[in-house]
Amino acid sequence: MQRAEVIPSIVLSAYALGRIAAQDAGNEAPAAQWRVLSLLGRQGASRVGELAAAARTTQPGMTRLIGALERDGLVRRSPDPADSRAVVVEATDAGARALAAWRDEFRDTLAPRFHALDDADWATLTRAAEILAMHTDPTDRKDSSQ
């Protein structure tokens, strides 16, 4: 595989694994729900516009999703302490538990696909996961042209 093909291959494979895990687990919750809860878990309370930008969706779409998550008790909205005209969203304890359960469910659903890997393959995947995590930190926006 050529160097230029590696990252796109990882991204496409990750999307496929996510779809496979959701299907195999019978998890019908929208992927956007888990994306928002993950963002909130990683960056803490955020404005709707910030979440929309991070999730690459529209603000009205994010507002609808936040409304559904709030009705389900997974997030709560409150006044932004820095600007009383604005609202921030944060995950509730129930939201954090739901996210942890979803991650466990996906891990357990996907585990059989990887049971035959040897220690060297696991070391390779572990290092790849560490590298990807370093380059997906939302606070680390480096200019890729440098």
Side-chain angles (χ1 to χ4, degrees):
M1 181 177 299
Q2 297 293 322
R3 181 178 280 194
E5 298 167 351
V6 172
I7 300 300
S9 176
I10 289 170
V11 171
L12 293 173
S13 295
Y15 282 139
L17 282 172
R19 286 191 308 275
I20 289 165
Q23 259 183 335
D24 289 356
N27 189 307
E28 295 184 15
Q33 169 179 310
W34 306 119
R35 191 168 40 253
V36 168
L37 289 171
S38 293
L39 287 167
L40 291 171
R42 193 174 332 138
Q43 61 195 46
S46 303
R47 289 182 177 192
V48 173
E50 292 168 342
L51 289 170
R56 300 189 66 183
T57 189
T58 64
Q59 190 159 341
M62 182 59 67
T63 298
R64 284 190 298 280
L65 177 59
I66 294 300
L69 294 174
E70 188 174 38
R71 284 188 296 281
D72 291 341
L74 301 176
V75 301
R76 93 177 113 259
R77 292 185 239 204
S78 57
D80 185 340
D83 181 354
S84 61
R85 299 168 296 165
V87 172
V88 293
V89 178
E90 63 184 326
T92 62
D93 290 342
R97 285 191 305 273
L99 179 62
W102 171 76
R103 287 180 173 160
D104 289 347
E105 178 181 48
F106 272 37
R107 180 198 61 224
D108 295 346
T109 300
L110 290 173
R113 292 177 175 272
F114 297 92
H115 77 279
L117 295 183
D118 63 20
D119 289 344
D121 286 340
W122 276 111
T124 300
L125 287 179
T126 300
R127 183 62 187 136
E130 292 167 350
I131 292 167
L132 292 170
M134 288 186 310
H135 293 278
T136 58
D137 180 351
T139 62
D140 185 25
R141 302 274 188 217
K142 292 190 173 106
D143 181 358
S144 61
S145 65
Q146 293 181 1

